Amino acid sequence: NKQVLVPRKGVTSITMTRSLALVLCVSSLAIAHGFVAPAGLRSVVSAPSVNKLPVASASASRLASPLSPRMTLTPSSVAHPEQVIVGSPLPIVYVYDHCPFCVRVRAIFGAKNIKHEVRFMANDDIDTPTKLVGKKIAPIMEIPTKNEVMMESLDIVKRIDEDPTMGPSVLLPGTDRTDLKAWQKKHQDLFRSLQRPRYVASGLLPEFALKAGRDAFVKNHPVPPFEKPDWKSDNYDMATRYAKYNECMGKTDELLPQANTAVEELEGMIFSAKHASEPGFGYDDIELFARLRSLTIIKNLNLGAKTKGYLEYMSAKFDVPLYDQMAV
């Protein structure tokens, strides 16, 4: 079945927090498939404000890839440092789930096992980041006990990794992996065509739970071959932009073989499941995992054994889930 993205109008709404809506959605799917949720999650997930959630309608986008009939949930086999609690209220990270820069920040908190709060902002939320740092941007870190607010992902990563009150440093310096950077640049348009429509397709990612959030993303993020200034201009209305997103979804059969060929190249670039570069675990992994995680939203993408093992290991180490079970 093909999935069609539509800019919906006039949908009846109910008032519900985005975090509660996401929990109810995931819980319903879990119950339906007989899952048992693991205890002891290290991150607290919440939303910064109350919003209206659209009730499902006949025109609503459907989750194209149902969860597996049976998934075994087991405790992580990845060793973590002793949990660090730096005070109350906890540090807060304001993020979008799909955003690779936001994943970097979530990753360092997970790698050091620092108890923190994750607040997923709606993609059209301007007020929250503006009140914190003066503009719409993500990620943002706030440490309330120190009256400290920061933006810029790698600055935050450095700040947290090097703070001895949050445990010893865990990251080796980056090694300037020009091969990985070249790979990303070479295949950028291909994966934008596959990933961007899938981010908004189901509405399950918290930043896209509401139509306004999906509209904001589609308006501001072109699909190839469009460039951002032209895409955001008055030359295109929202119906046209959604149509272009749907065109990309419709090209999956054409693009997926190209993507499978592209990810084969990664097998020779990743040193091991535990670190991408030979010297060991470090900044290279913070940056690479943040980029590669979104590959898992593409259903039937054939990741090689080394790449898949790397993503699964880092997902557990960073406490940042992959998208396998909701791939489209």
Side-chain angles (χ1 to χ4, degrees), residues 132-148:
L132 288 165
V133 295
K135 61 180 178 180
K136 184 181 185 300
I137 194 172
I140 299 169
M141 179 194 69
E142 180 182 16
I143 305 180
T145 56
K146 298 184 179 182
N147 294 318
E148 182 179 354

Side-chain angles (χ1 to χ4, degrees), residues 53-282:
L53 178 72
V55 175
S57 70
S59 63
S61 298
R62 295 175 289 109
L63 180 62
S65 172
L67 294 175
S68 303
R70 181 69 57 180
M71 181 176 68
T72 302
L73 301 179
T74 58
S76 171
S77 60
V78 177
H80 292 94
E82 183 177 350
Q83 187 175 69
V84 176
I85 301 177
V86 295
S88 180
L90 296 172
I92 305 164
V93 293
Y94 299 84
V95 298
Y96 307 130
D97 189 84
H98 75 281
C99 168
F101 307 107
C102 299
V103 172
R104 291 172 175 176
V105 172
R106 295 171 65 187
I108 188 59
F109 275 90
K112 296 190 72 172
N113 201 4
I114 301 166
K115 191 172 179 62
H116 63 290
E117 183 178 352
V118 179
R119 294 191 183 179
F120 293 107
M121 300 182 289
N123 204 249
D124 64 317
D125 182 356
I126 298 175
D127 289 346
T128 298
T130 300
K131 288 176 181 177
L132 288 165
V133 295
K135 61 180 178 180
K136 184 181 185 300
I137 194 172
I140 299 169
M141 179 194 69
E142 180 182 16
I143 305 180
T145 56
K146 298 184 179 182
N147 294 318
E148 182 179 354
V149 178
M150 285 186 70
M151 53 184 180
E152 299 299 338
S153 60
L154 290 180
D155 290 344
I156 297 172
V157 169
K158 186 176 189 298
R159 159 74 178 85
I160 298 304
D161 185 49
E162 296 180 359
D163 187 337
T165 68
M166 298 184 183
S169 173
V170 296
L171 298 178
L172 292 176
T175 61
D176 191 24
R177 290 292 303 273
T178 56
D179 57 336
L180 291 171
K181 292 175 183 177
W183 181 89
Q184 292 173 40
K185 184 175 181 179
K186 175 184 176 182
H187 300 297
Q188 176 177 274
D189 283 353
L190 170 62
F191 286 111
R192 281 182 176 175
S193 296
L194 286 165
Q195 291 167 343
R196 285 184 173 178
R198 284 165 168 78
Y199 291 149
V200 298
S202 69
L204 288 182
L205 297 187
E207 59 266 38
F208 304 130
L210 303 177
K211 175 183 178 296
R214 297 191 291 274
D215 285 352
F217 183 85
V218 171
K219 181 177 181 179
N220 290 305
H221 294 81
V223 289
F226 296 91
E227 298 294 334
K228 182 172 283 192
D230 181 41
W231 179 265
K232 293 177 64 176
S233 72
D234 294 336
N235 294 334
Y236 307 100
D237 59 15
M238 287 305 299
T240 301
R241 295 185 183 103
Y242 271 96
K244 296 300 181 183
Y245 265 54
N246 281 316
E247 285 181 15
C248 286
M249 290 289 285
K251 292 180 180 178
T252 297
D253 289 345
E254 171 190 341
L255 299 177
L256 190 58
Q258 299 175 39
N260 283 330
T261 299
V263 295
E264 285 178 9
E265 299 170 12
L266 288 170
E267 290 294 281
M269 300 181 192
I270 296 174
F271 182 78
S272 74
K274 296 184 177 181
H275 45 92
S277 301
E278 187 171 0
F281 175 74

